[in-house]
């Protein structure tokens, strides 16, 4: 299960990486390969990108389950 306090790099190991990536790319978050992915939480990334973290986490969990 993906949570808002999870590191981006750890989130990618929670399920369908392609679907997770599509959710992130769809909101302009291209942090999968950047250096911040290993040290930034989903909540921190959402704040930087002005995205509601709870909605993002819900979408990411849905994508991970596909």
């Amino acid at each position: 299960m993906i949570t808002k306090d999870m590191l981006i790099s750890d989130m990618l190991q929670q399920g369908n990486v392609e679907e997770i990536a599509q959710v992130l790319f769809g909101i302009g978050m291209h942090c999968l390969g950047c250096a911040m992915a290993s040290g930034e939480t989903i909540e921190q990334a959402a704040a930087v990108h002005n995205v509601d973290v709870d909605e993002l986490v819900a979408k990411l969990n849905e994508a991970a389950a596909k």
Side-chain angles (χ1 to χ4, degrees):
M1 177 173 192
I2 296 172
T3 61
K4 64 184 175 183
D5 61 337
M6 186 174 286
L7 295 176
I8 294 168
S9 58
D10 292 339
M11 169 198 55
L12 296 173
Q13 300 173 26
Q14 299 302 309
N16 190 327
V17 176
E18 292 82 16
E19 292 291 330
I20 292 171
Q22 289 304 314
V23 170
L24 296 177
F25 292 157
I27 60 171
M29 197 179 289
H30 301 280
C31 49
L32 301 181
C34 82
M36 295 303 292
S38 62
E40 189 171 52
T41 66
I42 297 168
E43 185 171 30
Q44 291 168 325
V48 168
H49 291 276
N50 199 30
V51 173
D52 181 281
V53 69
D54 294 321
E55 288 179 23
L56 176 58
V57 167
K59 289 179 183 178
L60 290 169
N61 275 304
E62 184 179 315
K66 289 185 179 179

